[in-house]
C-alpha cells in the first residue's frame, strides 16, 4: 500500500497549465518591501536547516578499528591493512542484539550525532538520542566512515604501509559490497553476530539493502531512504560530470596530488554540480527566485549576481579542505556500478532474484522531488522485495521540496516512520524493553534488600550489567 507523507510546509506552488510565460526583460524589476521580507524570512528558515554533512564538527573523538592484515576486495585486489573510523551512542546490552548499524552517504564522516568525545552537532543529530528515532535508551548505534572515505577509514588519502606514501591513484577500485563487508568486519571485531537493523540514506540506503542481501542472517530489519538497488543512467551521468570537474583540474595529477597542490577548482565545481542534484528546483524557486545576491545592484559582466549563484559558490567553497577529491572519485564509481541483480532461472538479470534472501521487515522511503535518486527507484526496491516474497515491506513517499537532502532536513516527517519500524514487531524492541524492565526490578530488589551502602551499590551495578563482564 502506498502511503504519502505530505508536510504542509513543504508543498511547492504550481504554475497553472496554460498560464502565460513571463516576458524576458533586460532590466530587473525591483522587489517590493513585503517581497524582500518574505524572501529573507524563507531564506533564513531554510538556511537554518542547511546540513553540515561532510565535516562532522572537528572530527575528533572517533574510535579506530585497525586490522593489521590484508583486506581483499571483490575484484581480488588487496590493501595491506584495514582501518575503519566509527562512533557509537547508547549502550550495548549483554546479548549484543540491540545494535543499529547506521550507514552514511558519500561525503559523511562517522560523526552522526554529538557525544562527550565530540560535542559538535552531527549530520543526523535529530535522529539519535533518548526517545528519538534511533532511541539510545534501547539501541546501541554504530556509524562508520565509509571505506574509501577521508575521515579516518582506509581510502586514497591514507598511507600505504608498504610504501610509506599515501595511496592516491594506487588505491584499488572497490564496490558498495566491499564497503558493507568492511562494516561487518568491524562488527566481527566487536563480537556482534547480528544487528537489530541497518539504517541508511543515499549511499547508506544502498548499503542497507545491500547488507540485507549479503548478510540476511545477520540483519534483523532494515531502513533504506532515498536510495536504489541498481544505479540508473541519470545519477551515473550526474556523478560523471562531478568526476570530470575534478579530473580536468591540472592539479589532480592523475590522483597523486598529496605532495602538491589540491585540485581545489575542480573540487569546488564538483560540489556545485552535486548540490544541484541534492536539492530541488521547487525549493530554490521559493527560496531564491530570480533575486540578486546581497550587495549586487547591477547586472554587469559575468560575475555571480543571482542568489542561487552565490549559494552554489558557497557550497563549493565549503568542500575545499574538508573533503578529499579522490574519495569523491572512488566512492562515486562504486555507486555507479552498484547492482543487486542476480540471474534468474532463465539467466536474465533480476532484482527480484537478487533480493530473494532479504525476507526481514523493510522500510523504504522515497522523496517525490529527489533528482539524484528518483522516487521510482525506491518504489522499485519495495516492489522487488514484495515480488521476492517479503511480506514485511512498508513504502512511504515524502512530498518535500528539499529533494534528496530531505533525509537530513525532514526529521519531523521521516523520524516517526523510522522509529515505528525499528521498534514494532516482528523483530522489534519488545525483548529489549523486557530486559530493561527485568533490570529495573533487579535494581529495586538490590536497593531494598541491602542495608550496607557499599554492598547495595555493588548489587545495583551487577543488576544493571545484566550479565556483562564490565560495567562502565
Amino acid at each position: 500500500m502506498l502511503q504519502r507523507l505530505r508536510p504542509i510546509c513543504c508543498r511547492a506552488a504550481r504554475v497553472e497549465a496554460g498560464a502565460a510565460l513571463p516576458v524576458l526583460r533586460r532590466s530587473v524589476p525591483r522587489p517590493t518591501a513585503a517581497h524582500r521580507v518574505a524572501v529573507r524570512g524563507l531564506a533564513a528558515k531554510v538556511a537554518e536547516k542547511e546540513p553540515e554533512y561532510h565535516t562532522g564538527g572537528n572530527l575528533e573523538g572517533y574510535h579506530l578499528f585497525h586490522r593489521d592484515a590484508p583486506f581483499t576486495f571483490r575484484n581480488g585486489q588487496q590493501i595491506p591493512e584495514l582501518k575503519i573510523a566509527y562512533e557509537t551512542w547508547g549502550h550495548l546490552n549483554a546479548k549484543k542484539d540491540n545494535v543499529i548499524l547506521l550507514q552514511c552517504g558519500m561525503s559523511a564522516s562517522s560523526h552522526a550525532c554529538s557525544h562527550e568525545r565530540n560535542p559538535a552537532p552531527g549530520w543526523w543529530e535529530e535522529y539519535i538520542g533518548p526517545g528519538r528515532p534511533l532511541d539510545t535508551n534501547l539501541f546501541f548505534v554504530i556509524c562508520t566512515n565509509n571505506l574509501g572515505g577521508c575521515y579516518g577509514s582506509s581510502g586514497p588519502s591514507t598511507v600505504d604501509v608498504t610504501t610509506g606514501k599515501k595511496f592516491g591513484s594506487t588505491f584499488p577500485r572497490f564496490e558498495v559490497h566491499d564497503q558493507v563487508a568492511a562494516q561487518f568486519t568491524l562488527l566481527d571485531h566487536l563480537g556482534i553476530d547480528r544487528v537489530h537493523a541497518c539504517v541508511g540514506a543515499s549511499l547508506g540506503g544502498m548499503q542497507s539493502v545491500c547488507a540485507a542481501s549479503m548478510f540476511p542472517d545477520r540483519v534483523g530489519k532494515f531502513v533504506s531512504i532515498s536510495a536504489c538497488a541498481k544505479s540508473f543512467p541519470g545519477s551515473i551521468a550526474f556523478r560523471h560530470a562531478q568526476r570530470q570537474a575534478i579530473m580536468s583540474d591540472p592539479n589532480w595529477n592523475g590522483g597523486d596530488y598529496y605532495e602538491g597542490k589540491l585540485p581545489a577548482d575542480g573540487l569546488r565545481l564538483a560540489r556545485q554540480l552535486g548540490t544541484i542534484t541534492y536539492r530541488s528546483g521547487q525549493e530554490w524557486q521559493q527560496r531564491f527566485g530570480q533575486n540578486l545576491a546581497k550587495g549586487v545592484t547591477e547586472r554587469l559582466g559575468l560575475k555571480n549576481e543571482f542568489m542561487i549563484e552565490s549559494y552554489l559558490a558557497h557550497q563549493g567553497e565549503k568542500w575545499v579542505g574538508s573533503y578529499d577529491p579522490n574519495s569523491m572519485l572512488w566512492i562515486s564509481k562504486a555507486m555507479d556500478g552498484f547492482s543487486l541483480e542476480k540471474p534468474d532461472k532463465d539467466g536474465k538479470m533480476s532484482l527480484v532474484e537478487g533480493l530473494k534472501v532479504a525476507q526481514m521487515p523493510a522500510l523504504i522511503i522515497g522523496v517525490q522531488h529527489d533528482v539524484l535518486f528518483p522516487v521510482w527507484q525506491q518504489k522499485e526496491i519495495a516492489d522487488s522485495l514484495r515480488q521476492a516474497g517479503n511480506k514485511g515491506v512498508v513504502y512511504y513517499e515524502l512530498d518535500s521540496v528539499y529533494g534528496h537532502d530531505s533525509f537530513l532536513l525532514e526529521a519531523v516527517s521521516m523520524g516517526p516512520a523510522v522509529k515505528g519500524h525499528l521498534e514494532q514487531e516482528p523483530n522489534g524492541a519488545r525483548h529489549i524493553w523486557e530486559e530493561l524492565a527485568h533490570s529495573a526490578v533487579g535494581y529495586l530488589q538490590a536497593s531494598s534488600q541491602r542495608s550496607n551502602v557499599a554492598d547495595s551499590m555493588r548489587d545495583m551495578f551487577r543488576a544493571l550489567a545484566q550479565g556483562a563482564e564490565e560495567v562502565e
Side-chain angles (χ1 to χ4, degrees):
M1 178 176 64
L2 175 63
Q3 302 182 52
R4 289 184 172 86
L5 305 178
R6 297 179 179 270
I8 294 175
C9 62
C10 297
R11 290 177 182 167
R14 302 182 183 276
V15 178
E16 294 296 332
L21 296 176
V23 178
L24 179 62
R25 303 181 187 277
R26 295 184 65 185
S27 62
V28 181
R30 293 186 177 277
T32 64
H35 179 73
R36 290 194 193 97
V37 172
V39 169
R40 284 197 298 268
L42 178 61
K45 180 179 179 181
V46 179
E48 291 176 357
K49 302 188 76 173
E50 282 293 335
E52 290 293 337
Y53 190 38
H54 56 288
T55 60
N58 56 17
L59 297 178
E60 296 177 355
Y62 62 77
H63 303 289
L64 185 64
F65 164 56
H66 180 198
R67 192 182 79 166
D68 190 16
F71 180 80
T72 304
F73 298 93
R74 293 225 308 174
N75 60 15
Q77 292 185 283
Q78 289 184 332
I79 50 176
E81 61 180 2
L82 176 66
K83 293 182 178 180
I84 297 294
Y86 69 99
E87 297 178 46
T88 66
W89 301 264
H91 297 279
L92 183 63
N93 64 8
K95 295 180 180 179
K96 296 186 177 183
D97 64 355
N98 68 330
V99 175
I100 291 178
L101 177 62
L102 176 58
Q103 296 160 301
C104 63
M106 180 180 70
S107 60
S109 71
S110 58
H111 191 63
C113 186
S114 57
H115 51 72
E116 290 183 357
R117 298 181 305 280
N118 184 353
W123 52 265
W124 242 28
E125 188 78 17
E126 295 178 273
Y127 283 81
I128 302 171
R132 291 180 176 176
L134 277 60
D135 191 341
T136 51
N137 286 331
L138 298 172
F139 301 116
F140 181 62
V141 182
I142 302 174
C143 182
T144 73
N145 176 225
N146 284 319
L147 174 70
C150 54
Y151 301 126
S153 295
S154 296
S157 62
T158 55
V159 174
D160 180 352
V161 294
T162 63
T163 65
K165 297 182 178 181
K166 294 184 177 182
F167 279 101
S169 63
T170 66
F171 196 82
R173 278 281 303 276
F174 55 84
E175 302 177 24
V176 173
H177 293 72
D178 295 312
Q179 294 179 312
V180 173
Q183 293 166 350
F184 276 76
T185 300
L186 167 64
L187 295 179
D188 291 338
H189 166 72
L190 297 175
I192 298 167
D193 296 326
R194 177 182 171 89
V195 297
H196 178 81
C198 287
V199 178
S202 191
L203 169 59
M206 298 162 71
Q207 293 173 350
S208 66
V209 66
C210 183
S213 66
M214 286 180 67
F215 303 102
D217 295 332
R218 300 186 65 179
V219 177
K221 54 175 61 180
F222 71 94
V223 178
S224 179
I225 305 170
S226 296
C228 67
K230 178 184 178 181
S231 290
F232 91 114
S235 60
I236 294 173
F238 285 131
R239 289 189 288 265
H240 166 78
Q242 289 182 275
R243 289 193 295 270
Q244 290 303 304
I246 292 173
M247 296 167 67
S248 297
D249 189 320
N251 291 330
W252 182 60
N253 193 32
D256 298 313
Y257 52 80
Y258 295 108
E259 296 180 2
K261 292 183 177 180
L262 182 78
D265 289 341
L267 185 61
R268 288 188 189 95
L269 181 54
R271 176 60 175 178
Q272 290 184 46
L273 291 168
T275 300
I276 294 171
T277 72
Y278 302 150
R279 308 301 272 263
S280 77
Q282 289 87 345
E283 177 206 346
W284 287 347
Q285 177 60 31
Q286 294 179 22
R287 183 176 176 185
F288 302 126
Q290 204 177 8
N291 297 294
L292 297 180
K294 184 178 180 180
V296 176
T297 58
E298 296 181 286
R299 293 171 60 181
L300 299 172
L302 299 176
K303 64 182 180 180
N304 294 339
E305 56 193 26
F306 294 107
M307 289 177 68
I308 183 61
E309 292 178 305
S310 295
Y311 171 76
L312 290 175
H314 172 68
Q315 293 299 317
E317 198 63 42
K318 285 169 62 176
W319 249 20
V320 176
S322 297
Y323 190 61
D324 182 54
N326 277 342
S327 285
M328 187 273 152
L329 299 178
W330 262 251
I331 294 177
S332 70
K333 290 295 284 187
M335 296 173 71
D336 286 356
F338 179 64
S339 176
L340 292 177
E341 290 180 322
K342 289 184 178 180
D344 61 17
K345 57 183 178 60
D346 298 321
K348 183 179 179 180
M349 298 303 290
S350 166
L351 281 180
V352 174
E353 189 68 29
L355 294 174
K356 272 188 175 179
V357 296
Q359 295 297 315
M360 67 288 291
L363 171 62
I364 314 299
I365 300 178
V367 178
Q368 291 179 5
H369 298 295
D370 192 333
V371 176
L372 188 59
F373 288 82
V375 73
W376 63 261
Q377 291 196 288
Q378 293 87 64
K379 190 69 165 60
E380 181 179 54
I381 298 174
D383 290 343
S384 297
L385 286 166
R386 287 168 178 154
Q387 291 175 39
N390 190 326
K391 305 298 185 183
V393 180
V394 177
Y395 173 70
Y396 284 118
E397 273 185 23
L398 184 68
D399 183 11
S400 170
V401 297
Y402 295 126
H404 188 66
D405 270 356
S406 293
F407 75 92
L408 299 169
L409 303 171
E410 291 283 15
V412 172
S413 301
M414 288 190 184
V418 173
K419 183 176 179 63
H421 180 73
L422 294 176
E423 297 182 21
Q424 71 184 6
E425 302 301 324
N427 299 0
R430 179 176 178 178
H431 69 287
I432 302 174
W433 281 115
E434 290 175 346
E435 289 174 5
L436 290 173
H438 179 75
S439 175
V441 170
Y443 173 89
L444 293 173
Q445 289 177 340
S447 61
S448 64
Q449 293 176 0
R450 290 281 190 173
S451 58
N452 182 282
V453 175
D455 289 341
S456 179
M457 291 298 295
R458 191 178 299 112
D459 285 348
M460 284 189 287
F461 279 119
R462 286 171 178 164
L464 290 170
Q466 300 179 61
E469 294 180 3
E470 296 183 2
V471 183
E472 295 184 2

